[in-house]
Amino acid sequence: MDLNQWVDELFEVFDEDKDGVINRTEFVELIDVLLQDKGIRMCETIFNRFDKNHSNSISKDELKDMVIELAL
């Protein structure tokens, strides 16, 4: 599976309300899965870092940047 497919699948799973962005609640769940125990402690900082347009949500492009930096 390539990166774009993986991000698409992550986005589909964690955008629970299907509004096209990952809100803070959904983001906490995503970080918990990606980073496990240490994820919850880092959530606020990470969210703010990757919410580059300060929309209080994570777009698919922002998620892709996060996956590249944190998970690969």
Side-chain angles (χ1 to χ4, degrees):
M1 178 182 309
D2 73 6
L3 176 61
N4 288 327
Q5 288 175 306
W6 193 47
V7 169
D8 285 346
E9 288 187 23
L10 282 172
F11 205 88
E12 180 71 24
V13 169
F14 289 98
D15 180 19
E16 293 175 355
D17 58 6
K18 307 301 180 211
D19 64 352
V21 295
I22 293 176
N23 64 37
R24 282 187 186 272
T25 302
E26 295 163 340
F27 184 79
V28 169
E29 292 176 27
L30 173 63
I31 292 300
D32 187 40
V33 169
L34 289 178
L35 300 179
Q36 299 170 354
D37 293 337
K38 65 182 178 180
I40 297 301
R41 296 186 304 270
M42 298 172 58
C43 251
E44 190 68 28
T45 301
I46 293 169
F47 187 94
N48 291 334
R49 180 175 177 185
F50 290 99
D51 180 18
K52 293 178 181 174
N53 63 356
H54 308 290
S55 64
N56 208 30
S57 60
I58 300 292
S59 68
K60 193 177 287 189
D61 286 337
E62 291 166 333
L63 176 61
K64 184 176 181 179
D65 291 343
M66 184 183 71
V67 168
I68 288 169
E69 189 167 327
L70 296 178
L72 296 180

